[in-house]
């Protein structure tokens, strides 16, 4: 029995007693079942299994704490309705917002945060971490941590631009199709059907093989691949708005299509469109990361998460986890955006069950 | 019965039409190359004679529509021309690899589909409990992770640290079936993790959508236990959306396989596609794209036909 095991069980038992005393039924059930499970785990997996549980629980508690404080912070600095809405946000959504906020800071202020340049060779290849390099060096001896920070700017930036392009094209076409109808609507609908029936990664690879892996090609390819999804949603949402009486009234007033779209339809279609932008961003981000993992995305020496994983993958066979950090960064941002989108969809649709 | 067959035939026809349009897109996108294929292959330093010789060899002196028809008629019988890089028949390059990819996808599907549907039903039964919340977060994480992230985590744990499964799936002809399953377990597991999460969420949503219906209320009021309400009353009516989701995810498997094959160096068609893209070997790229698109469309048709078949309203028209 090591000290760790004694402290571990003592803490669990005290915490479950506390929860039971103060009548916190779910907390008590969770804590006490964790205690029981830990008995079995401790016997089967030994101390290391318990340490793993403790670290996982600690991380979870830390994330929950940060999310809670970040939500309270947001509530404190906003006013009125927004503040009220934020108060009801679940912790997962707050966590998502915190992560997005962190990435944004890292991306915008990358040159000030990163200790070295993204293409600067400062050490031997695959040098281990020391006091200069937080995460060690990559396959050419560049600082991994600096490249990770710059990656936030390059990878996320590319995904954002590509999503915006897809969104702009899709939303414009969708709004026009809903207001104009007729042959334009039909044509765009069929076009969207065809594009959506080609698997996205395959279509992207086809375009990249023809036009070469350049940044503008990636942006255009992604825009063409994902615009049809936005088109369909926008058309459906705007289609519901177009039949309203106030649109009829605006048309009778003699307003043009541009006014109708900007002043009447868009304000009533914002909520689902914003949520769709988030979802779309996730898809685009994963596609772009996949492409750069295949060596067809942002080209070196520009730092990029997908290609960082590929270039340093050999380290994994030696049991080193650093190459997984950029991959984890991709996953974390996607999860964060999904959490926020989930909350927004829940709010706008009012789904209760 | 007549209308049912008509619906299915109509769907098949639409699918074939889409495939035809896609083949046009795949073929003529290569025509958009600045210059032509011969220039792209030979590069900047090519002499005029070399270019002319290659153009003649590849049949580029004929007009594009004629070449398209030749290509399409070849593709229908499985002949996609010759590779620009190695000069081999494209069919010999990707034939065996396509079988390998299908094997991997089937392997993953056999595990993932029953697993996902069972879990989906359980989660729907336990909705809004702690278990449901945890499952929600876990599946969301799994969906949001890039395939290579999951793949490398599995490699790190199962192959580097414990040595239970090989990290690289090298296949050869004289392996036993069990050995094959063992070798390809990690790539299959990666695919299972990605696909299960999605299928499970959709199964849950499909069932919960039905729970507000009056006949569910009725079943509850007559005192049926909750699991029976879901298995006997909700599930049969949720089959159409569930089949749809399963087929869509199988279609996803076929393409998600590309990244997984690269991670595990699996000798499949996805890897040949990636190689061909970086070498700009257009006949191979076109062949792979067409095969992937055809599989994708086929599974989409299967989804629609499945939805038609499980909808009693369409089976017994008034």
């Amino acid at each position: 029995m090591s000290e760790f095991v004694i402290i571990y069980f003592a803490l669990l038992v005290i915490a479950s007693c506390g929860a039971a005393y103060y009548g916190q039924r779910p907390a008590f059930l969770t804590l006490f079942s964790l205690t029981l499970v830990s008995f079995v785990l401790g016997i089967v997996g030994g101390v290391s299994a318990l340490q793993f549980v403790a670290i996982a629980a600690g991380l979870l508690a830390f994330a929950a704490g940060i999310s809670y404080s970040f939500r309270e912070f947001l509530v404190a600095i906003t006013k009125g309705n927004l503040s009220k809405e934020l108060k009801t946000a679940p912790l997962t959504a707050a966590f998502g917002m915190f992560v997005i906020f962190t990435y944004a800071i890292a991306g915008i202020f990358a040159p000030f945060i990163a200790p070295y340049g993204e293409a600067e060779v400062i050490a031997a290849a695959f040098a281990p971490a020391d006091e200069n390099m937080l995460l060690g060096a990559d396959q050419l001896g560049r600082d991994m941590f600096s490249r990770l920070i710059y990656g936030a700017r390059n990878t996320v930036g590319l995904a954002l631009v590509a999503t915006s392009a897809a969104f702009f094209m899709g939303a414009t076409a969708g709004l026009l199709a809903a207001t104009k109808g007729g042959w334009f609507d039909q044509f765009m609908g069929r076009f969207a059907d065809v594009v959506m029936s080609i698997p996205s990664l395959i279509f992207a690879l086809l375009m990249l093989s023809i036009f070469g892996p350049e940044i503008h090609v990636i942006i255009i390819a992604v825009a063409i691949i994902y615009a049809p999804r936005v088109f369909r949603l926008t058309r459906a949402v705007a289609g519901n708005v177009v039949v309203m009486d106030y649109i009829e009234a605006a048309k009778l007033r003699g307003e043009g299509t541009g006014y109708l779209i900007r002043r009447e339809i868009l304000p009533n279609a914002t909520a689902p469109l914003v949520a769709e932008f988030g979802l779309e961003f996730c898809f685009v981000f994963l596609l772009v990361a996949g492409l750069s993992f295949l060596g067809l995305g942002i080209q070196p020496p520009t730092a990029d998460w997908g290609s960082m994983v590929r270039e340093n993958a050999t380290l994994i066979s030696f049991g080193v986890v650093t190459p997984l950090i950029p991959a984890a960064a991709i996953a974390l941002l996607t999860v964060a955006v999904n959490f926020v989108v989930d909350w927004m969809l829940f709010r706008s649709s009012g789904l209760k069950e | 019965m007549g209308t049912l067959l008509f619906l299915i035939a109509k769907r098949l026809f639409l699918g074939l039409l889409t495939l035809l349009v896609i083949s046009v897109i795949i073929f003529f996108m290569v025509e958009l190359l600045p210059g032509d294929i011969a220039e792209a292959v030979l590069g900047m330093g090519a002499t005029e004679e070399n270019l002319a010789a290659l153009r003649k060899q590849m049949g580029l002196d004929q007009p594009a529509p004629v070449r398209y028809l030749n290509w399409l008629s070849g593709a229908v019988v499985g002949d996609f021309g010759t590779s620009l890089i190695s000069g081999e028949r494209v069919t010999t390059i990707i034939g065996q690899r396509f079988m390998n990819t299908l094997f991997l996808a089937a392997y993953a599907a056999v595990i993932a589909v029953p697993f996902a549907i069972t879990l989906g039903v359980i989660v729907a039964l336990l909705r809004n409990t702690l278990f449901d919340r945890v499952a929600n977060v876990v599946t969301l994480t799994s969906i949001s992770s890039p395939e290579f992230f999951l793949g490398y985590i599995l490699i790190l744990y199962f192959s580097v640290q414990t040595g239970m499964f090989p990290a690289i799936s090298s296949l050869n002809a004289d392996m036993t079936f069990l050995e094959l399953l063992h070798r390809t377990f990690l790539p299959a597991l990666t695919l299972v993790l990605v696909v299960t999460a999605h299928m499970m969420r959709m199964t849950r949503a499909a069932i919960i959508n039905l729970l507000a219906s009056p006949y569910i209320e009725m079943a509850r009021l007559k005192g049926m236990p909750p699991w029976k309400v879901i298995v006997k009353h909700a599930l049969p009516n949720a089959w159409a959306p569930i089949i749809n989701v399963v087929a869509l995810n199988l279609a996803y498997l076929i393409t998600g396989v590309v990244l997984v094959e690269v991670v595990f160096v699996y000798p499949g068609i996805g890897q040949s596609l990636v190689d061909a893209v970086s070498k700009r070997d257009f006949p191979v790229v076109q062949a792979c794209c067409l095969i992937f698109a055809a599989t994708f469309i086929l599974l989409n048709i299967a989804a629609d036909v499945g939805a038609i078949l499980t909808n009693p309203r369409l089976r017994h028209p008034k």
Side-chain angles (χ1 to χ4, degrees):
Chain A
M1 273 299 229
S2 70
E3 264 172 53
F4 169 76
V5 179
I6 298 172
I7 297 175
Y8 178 89
F9 279 109
L11 268 181
L12 267 183
V13 171
I14 293 172
S16 24
C17 288
Y21 184 77
Y22 287 105
Q24 301 289 327
R25 190 166 169 275
F28 168 69
L29 282 179
T30 318
L31 281 168
F32 197 65
S33 41
L34 185 63
T35 319
L36 293 181
V37 170
S38 301
F39 282 135
V40 182
L41 257 182
I43 293 165
V44 177
V47 179
S48 60
L50 290 187
Q51 264 167 352
F52 178 76
V53 173
I55 291 174
L59 276 181
L60 210 64
F62 182 66
I66 280 201
S67 325
Y68 181 75
S69 337
F70 191 67
R71 184 177 71 190
E72 294 309 308
F73 172 68
L74 284 183
V75 170
I77 60 168
T78 50
K79 281 194 202 88
N81 257 345
L82 192 61
S83 171
K84 251 184 230 158
E85 291 274 9
L86 282 169
K87 249 199 167 76
T88 61
L91 277 188
T92 47
F95 178 71
M97 285 187 260
F98 174 71
V99 170
I100 295 170
F101 176 73
T102 318
Y103 276 56
I105 296 287
I108 295 167
F109 299 106
F112 305 103
I113 299 173
Y116 301 98
E118 55 181 324
E120 210 176 319
V121 177
I122 54 159
F126 293 132
D130 55 24
E131 66 271 18
N132 284 328
M133 298 180 294
L134 200 56
L135 298 173
D138 70 354
Q139 90 283 9
L140 294 178
R142 297 168 294 194
D143 180 31
M144 195 86 112
F145 178 70
S146 306
R147 283 179 71 75
L148 201 61
I149 299 290
Y150 273 101
R153 166 180 275 197
N154 303 331
T155 316
V156 181
L158 175 63
L160 261 185
V161 173
T163 318
S164 312
F167 212 76
F168 180 72
M169 278 169 52
T172 316
L175 289 171
L176 280 179
T179 39
K180 291 246 187 228
W183 66 266
F184 181 76
D185 187 16
Q186 283 295 323
F187 174 76
M188 292 312 284
R190 295 295 83 75
F191 179 73
D193 282 348
V194 170
V195 173
M196 281 174 80
S197 62
I198 308 179
S200 52
L201 183 62
I202 307 299
F203 200 17
L205 285 176
L206 178 68
M207 287 203 243
L208 286 176
S209 77
I210 293 167
F211 302 106
E214 320 260 339
I215 290 191
H216 62 271
V217 177
I218 299 175
I219 293 174
I220 294 170
V222 168
I224 293 177
I225 292 169
Y226 284 103
R229 283 176 48 100
V230 186
F231 166 77
R232 282 202 174 173
L233 183 93
T234 319
R235 189 179 159 281
V237 173
N240 285 339
V241 179
V242 162
V243 290
M244 296 287 181
D245 288 341
Y246 55 82
I247 300 287
E248 192 74 7
K251 272 186 189 158
L252 289 177
R253 280 207 309 275
E255 308 286 4
T257 315
Y259 178 90
L260 280 181
I261 289 179
R262 262 183 305 116
R263 303 302 296 274
E264 306 283 355
I265 300 176
L266 265 185
N268 290 298
T270 333
L273 284 186
V274 170
E276 176 67 15
F277 186 85
L279 278 183
E280 203 75 7
F281 173 78
C282 291
F283 289 123
V284 171
F285 190 47
L286 286 179
L287 176 69
V288 169
L291 285 177
S292 54
F293 174 73
L294 295 174
L296 298 164
I298 301 175
Q299 294 300 311
T302 313
D304 165 75
W305 289 338
S307 47
M308 279 171 78
V309 178
R310 177 198 184 78
E311 286 158 2
N312 299 299
T314 31
L315 274 184
I316 293 175
S317 45
F318 299 105
V320 183
V321 289
T322 23
L324 287 179
I325 295 175
I330 296 169
L332 186 64
L333 181 59
T334 324
V335 173
V337 174
N338 262 317
F339 280 156
V340 178
V341 169
D342 256 14
W343 173 55
M344 286 203 234
L345 283 178
F346 183 82
R347 231 169 29 120
S348 67
S349 70
L351 276 176
K352 287 295 174 276
E353 182 126 38
Chain B
M1 217 43 214
T3 38
L4 191 64
L5 281 180
F6 175 72
L7 276 175
I8 294 176
K10 190 176 150 202
R11 191 62 195 81
L12 276 175
F13 172 73
L14 275 179
L16 280 179
L17 197 67
T18 319
L19 193 56
L20 196 70
V21 176
I22 289 175
S23 77
V24 172
I25 294 179
I26 290 177
F27 186 84
F28 283 96
M29 269 195 50
V30 176
E31 299 293 312
L32 289 179
L33 264 180
D36 65 359
I37 302 185
E39 278 174 39
V41 171
L42 292 178
M44 301 290 265
T47 60
E48 222 22 75
E49 296 95 76
N50 281 350
L51 278 176
L54 188 68
R55 281 194 187 119
K56 190 149 182 82
Q57 184 202 330
M58 293 169 63
L60 286 180
D61 39 1
Q62 286 167 313
V66 176
R67 273 181 293 127
Y68 169 70
L69 288 179
N70 286 340
W71 178 71
L72 190 67
S73 55
V76 171
V77 292
D79 174 21
F80 294 98
T82 50
S83 157
L84 294 181
I85 307 294
S86 63
E88 278 179 274
R89 308 293 301 166
V90 174
T91 319
T92 41
I93 301 178
I94 59 177
Q96 180 55 38
R97 284 176 163 253
F98 182 54
M99 289 335 253
N100 288 346
T101 297
L102 278 187
F103 170 76
L104 183 60
Y107 188 8
V110 167
I111 303 176
V113 173
F115 186 55
I117 294 181
T118 322
L119 270 181
V121 171
I122 293 177
V123 171
L125 198 60
L126 297 174
R127 64 195 173 281
N128 300 333
T129 61
L130 187 69
F131 180 74
D132 183 33
R133 299 242 173 99
V134 172
N136 181 30
V137 171
V138 170
T139 49
L140 203 59
T141 315
S142 163
I143 292 175
S144 314
S145 306
E147 288 90 346
F148 53 87
F149 183 46
L150 295 175
Y152 280 128
I153 288 183
L154 292 181
I155 288 186
L156 188 68
Y157 188 73
F158 284 108
S159 119
V160 177
Q161 289 188 353
T162 56
M164 281 195 278
F165 296 97
I168 290 179
S169 333
S170 51
L171 309 180
N172 50 40
D174 45 68
M175 282 197 302
T176 62
F177 188 63
L178 267 183
E179 221 176 323
L180 197 66
L181 288 185
H182 179 246
R183 281 275 169 91
T184 54
F185 182 71
L186 286 188
L189 186 61
T190 313
L191 287 173
V192 167
L193 283 180
V194 179
V195 181
T196 303
H198 197 232
M199 278 199 275
M200 183 181 143
R201 285 172 79 88
M202 299 303 270
T203 309
R204 176 184 182 274
I207 291 178
I208 286 180
N209 249 338
L210 288 173
L211 289 183
S213 326
Y215 62 87
I216 298 287
E217 189 83 44
M218 173 68 207
R220 267 190 206 144
L221 289 178
K222 75 183 182 196
M224 227 178 190
W227 67 269
K228 223 172 171 183
V229 173
I230 285 189
V231 174
K232 279 209 133 162
H233 292 269
L235 196 57
N237 287 296
W239 275 133
I242 291 177
I243 286 178
N244 230 318
V245 169
V246 167
L248 285 183
N249 276 286
L250 294 185
Y252 172 79
L253 266 183
I254 298 289
T255 59
V257 106
V258 174
L259 286 168
V260 173
E261 278 176 7
V262 173
V263 170
F264 291 94
V265 203
Y266 184 90
I269 187 177
Q271 195 147 71
S272 8
L273 173 59
V274 174
D275 286 346
V277 168
S278 45
K279 289 183 197 148
R280 313 191 79 184
D281 189 348
F282 297 111
V284 180
V285 174
Q286 286 174 326
C288 294
C289 287
L290 194 64
I291 291 176
F292 275 123
T295 326
F296 196 74
I297 290 174
L298 210 68
L299 283 164
N300 271 311
I301 295 176
D304 285 356
V305 172
I308 293 173
L309 286 179
T310 49
N311 187 344
R313 259 164 283 176
L314 292 175
R315 247 181 298 151
H316 307 288
K318 283 176 202 139

